Amino acid sequence: MKLITAVIKPHQVEEVKKALALLGVQGMTVTEYKVAFTPKSRLEIVVSDEDADKAVDAVLGAARTGKIGDGKIWVSNVDRLVRIRTGEEGNEAL
């Protein structure tokens, strides 16, 4: 599994959510903050290894405006994922 972290402009969050929903992504964590008085949104999404490239492409396509400050995306490995409510692990917990 992969953790996709994206820092984007806040007004792009809804478009990114829509693009990811088309891939079947059901949840993400969104954190709002400011860098040097510039608002940013940090999205964290866990996906299967197979879906990681498609999810990155979806975020990229929905968040890119071509202007300075569009943000960054990085991908990290997830060694273990557990859904607290059910105890499901791995891809079943997505």
Side-chain angles (χ1 to χ4, degrees), residues 18-91:
K18 289 176 189 174
L20 290 169
L22 292 174
L23 296 178
V25 173
Q26 296 179 0
M28 72 180 74
T29 300
V30 179
T31 306
E32 304 285 335
Y33 65 100
K34 292 185 180 182
V35 176
F37 305 107
T38 303
K40 295 287 181 183
S41 294
R42 177 183 173 126
L43 285 64
E44 296 171 297
I45 309 122
V46 178
V47 297
S48 67
D49 289 340
E50 298 80 27
D51 291 336
D53 288 338
K54 289 182 268 186
V56 168
D57 290 344
V59 173
L60 186 61
R64 179 186 283 163
T65 67
K67 297 179 182 169
I68 293 174
D70 274 350
K72 293 196 171 35
I73 302 169
W74 60 95
V75 180
S76 308
N77 290 320
V78 174
D79 294 326
R80 186 174 181 198
L81 177 68
V82 180
R83 183 183 311 248
I84 294 173
R85 178 177 53 87
T86 62
E88 293 169 302
E89 295 199 32
N91 285 336

